[in-house]
Structure formats: C-alpha cells, structure tokens
Amino acid sequence: MRIAVLSSFYPLRGGISQFNASMLAGLGKWHDMRAFTFSRQYPGLLFPGKTQYVGPDDKAMPVDSVPVVDTANPFTWIKAARTIREWKPDLLIMKYWMSWFAPSLGWVERHVGCKSLTVLDNVIPHEPHWFDKPLTRYFLNGCDGFISMSGSVTEDLLSLKKDARYLQLFHPLYSHFGEKQPRTAACESLGLDPAKKTILFFGLIRQYKGLDILLEAFRELPEDYQLVIAGEPYGSFDPYQKIIDSLPGRDRVHVFTRYIPDSEVSPFFSAADVCVLPYRSATQSGISAISYHFDLPMIVTDVGGLKEAVGDSGTGIVASAPDPAIIRSEILRYFAGDSLREGFVEAIGREKERLGWERFCLELLSFAETL
C-alpha cells in the first residue's frame, strides 16, 4: 500500500513532528511511505514561540519530506492536493490538533482522491475560540476515519461528528531521547543539588498546563525539595516569575525557559524524582511518553486522558483537582516512602512493553483497511 502522510515533519520541531517521524518509520516497515509537510505551518504573528524549526544542536530525527502546504495561502492547497494525488496514494494520514489547520487540511483531504485517516491530538483546543467548532466540523466531515488517543478526545470527536468511524488507541512511547543518565551526574550538569528531592515540570509553558498551581504548591514544601521548570513559554513568563520571586524557597526553583532540544532532554528526566503535570485541562500528553522512557513516575491531575495514562496503569498518582493544596499533599505522599515509587516504576516497565510503535502502527493499519 502507498501511504502519504501530511503533517509537521523535520525541520519543523516539537512533539507533533517527533510523533510523525516515529509513525512514518513504523509504517514504513510494511508499506511505501511518503511524507508531505508545511512550507509554512504558522504565520509568524500567530506563533508564540521563538522559532518553529530545529536548531543545529537538536538531534531530531531527519525526515525526507516534501513541503507543499502554506496554511495561510489557499493557492498552495490546490497544488498540494495535486502533488499528493499524482503520487497515487491508497491512504492519506494526517495529524490534527487545532482549528487553524482545518481549512487547509480539510480542502486537501477532499481533493487527493483516496481515503483519509486522521490521528487526533485534540478536537477542541485547550484554549478554545468561538470559531473552533465550525472549522473543526468542516475538517472532520471530510475525513473517512480517525485515531484518538484518549477517551476525552473520543468524546469530543463524537460531540461534533456522531457518525465518526474511529479507533481509540494509545500514545506510543518516545525512544529517541537517549539513555537515562546517572542521577548525580545529571543533577551536576544542570546545577542541581543531588541531595534534594527533585520535582520536574517539563514542556511548553501555557496557561492550561498549570505551572502557577505547581509553584503555589511548592511554596509550603520543606527545604529538602527543589523544583525544575524546563520549557519554552508560549506568552509572557512574567506572571510565573512574580510567583517565584515571592516564594520563601525561590533559590530552590531552577528555571530553564527555553525550548529543550532532543539532545538535552535526558538530563532533566534523569535528575528528577517525579514529573508533575498540574494541568487544568488535557487530552493526552506526550510528556507522559517521555517520562515512561526514562522510568520516571508522574503526578497528574484528573483531567482529560491523564487519568487513563497514569492512574489506570498504576504509573503514578492522580490528584483529584488542579489545586495547590491537593498537588502539595500528593507530592508529600509520593516522597513519604520508597514502596510507592518502586511500584510505579514496575508498572512503567509493564507499560513500556505494551505501548510500542509497532503495535500502534499495526492496529492503525488494520483499522484503515476497514474504511
């Protein structure tokens, strides 16, 4: 089968591109694959980060992709559909995570002349706007089938397209971030005290991810705790810095407010004792896939698919609400003894055997054959 994948690919950076590169490689074991990507993913005015592209020191997986779609230029959509159609694919796979892509991808999927399948990260964005639902409906109605990776995404899909044909799978594990390092060496490389209990907040810093909640939870933790914040802010970091400056233990908050390239991920997860995701809302999280790779348990909030990923699998603690007092209580419980953490690490080992790319790709292919 000839499969075209239209989405973000190298040299575009970030979790979407990482996911697509792994999926492309997995499917390529059995089928003829071709990657198509964006000549312009976002106009500069709409992109809140510093750059959309990998840097020279980033070890992101290179992918030979064809740039065809400028999301802001409809004339390129016509050419993109023609270019993909001329390759004569049997299946078009896309990734969908926000309504900005609905017009361009929705037009292309209707004009490539083959069945289409979309892997859904989000259906309704974490920070919604009035136009999200109508644009997303337009996109969904042009697609033949869907892969969701959490129950909350499935619910959102069916709320907008009741007759959707879908398969709910899992978020596969990432394995391209290198090996876990000795904890002491990782702490020293980051300027951390290896004697302290280390909490990690990792990933893009956005309002819905609740970093302010974690900072307030940290306020009353004992002096033998330290917090590491690693990720690029989407928006101003000033509100968080104001909280940090007000903390009695502000010298124990270590801030790395920049995009963390693949080559630098390992020290952060190797130095940490626990990864905390104090999200206000969520679907699934790629951070959990990274945590599993490094055998690092998590404390997450009971939102979206986080409970499925962590609580149901026994790989961490699910806090009942995104509330500082509740998060703080669960952090203290996590560090109260070794047995809890050891049980989580054992569960992570079982999940790592289950959540592989080969299984994900085989189930996706079996579903695609039914469309």
Side-chain angles (χ1 to χ4, degrees), residues 118-189:
T118 296
V119 180
L120 299 166
D121 274 27
N122 302 313
V123 174
I124 299 173
H126 301 292
E127 298 157 348
H129 304 87
W130 65 268
F131 49 77
D132 289 324
K133 289 185 178 181
L135 287 176
T136 299
R137 280 196 184 95
Y138 166 74
F139 172 79
L140 298 177
N141 286 333
C143 195
D144 297 304
F146 306 92
I147 299 293
S148 74
M149 293 181 288
S150 72
S152 62
V153 170
T154 299
E155 291 175 7
D156 288 344
L157 167 65
L158 296 176
S159 73
L160 296 183
K161 185 174 174 61
K162 294 181 179 179
D163 62 345
R165 299 184 65 182
Y166 71 91
L167 174 65
Q168 185 173 316
L169 289 177
F170 50 86
H171 195 302
L173 301 186
Y174 292 127
S175 58
H176 59 280
F177 294 111
E179 298 298 320
K180 187 173 183 177
Q181 302 177 9
R183 184 176 183 276
T184 299
C187 285
E188 290 176 354
S189 71

Side-chain angles (χ1 to χ4, degrees), residues 183-246:
R183 184 176 183 276
T184 299
C187 285
E188 290 176 354
S189 71
L190 297 173
L192 306 176
D193 183 350
K196 293 190 182 298
K197 302 177 179 71
T198 304
I199 302 164
L200 175 65
F201 178 96
F202 190 89
L204 295 176
I205 300 170
R206 301 177 66 176
Q207 195 273 339
Y208 77 86
K209 292 191 174 183
L211 175 57
D212 55 322
I213 296 170
L214 179 56
L215 287 169
E216 291 296 346
F218 185 78
R219 182 181 296 278
E220 296 183 21
L221 287 177
E223 292 185 2
D224 58 342
Y225 285 78
Q226 62 187 349
L227 172 62
V228 177
I229 300 167
E232 183 178 8
Y234 270 22
S236 175
F237 190 73
D238 291 347
Y240 306 108
Q241 188 62 54
K242 185 176 180 180
I243 299 175
I244 294 171
D245 292 340
S246 73

Side-chain angles (χ1 to χ4, degrees), residues 21 35 42 100 146 248 334 348 357:
Y42 304 102
W100 170 256
F146 306 92
Y334 176 85
I348 288 173
W357 279 100

Side-chain angles (χ1 to χ4, degrees), residues 10 13-14 18 54-61 175-181 186 189-190 202 258-270 290 293-294:
Y10 181 95
R13 75 181 192 186
Q18 293 164 351
V54 299
D57 297 328
D58 202 323
K59 294 183 180 179
M61 188 187 305
S175 58
H176 59 280
F177 294 111
E179 298 298 320
K180 187 173 183 177
Q181 302 177 9
S189 71
L190 297 173
F202 190 89
R258 57 182 175 81
Y259 177 77
I260 309 299
D262 294 356
S263 58
E264 297 181 27
V265 169
S266 178
F268 289 98
F269 283 84
S270 300
I290 304 174
H293 174 66
F294 290 103

Side-chain angles (χ1 to χ4, degrees), residues 106-122:
W107 197 95
V108 171
E109 69 184 352
R110 287 168 167 80
H111 294 86
V112 292
C114 68
K115 59 185 177 182
S116 60
L117 173 66
T118 296
V119 180
L120 299 166
D121 274 27
N122 302 313

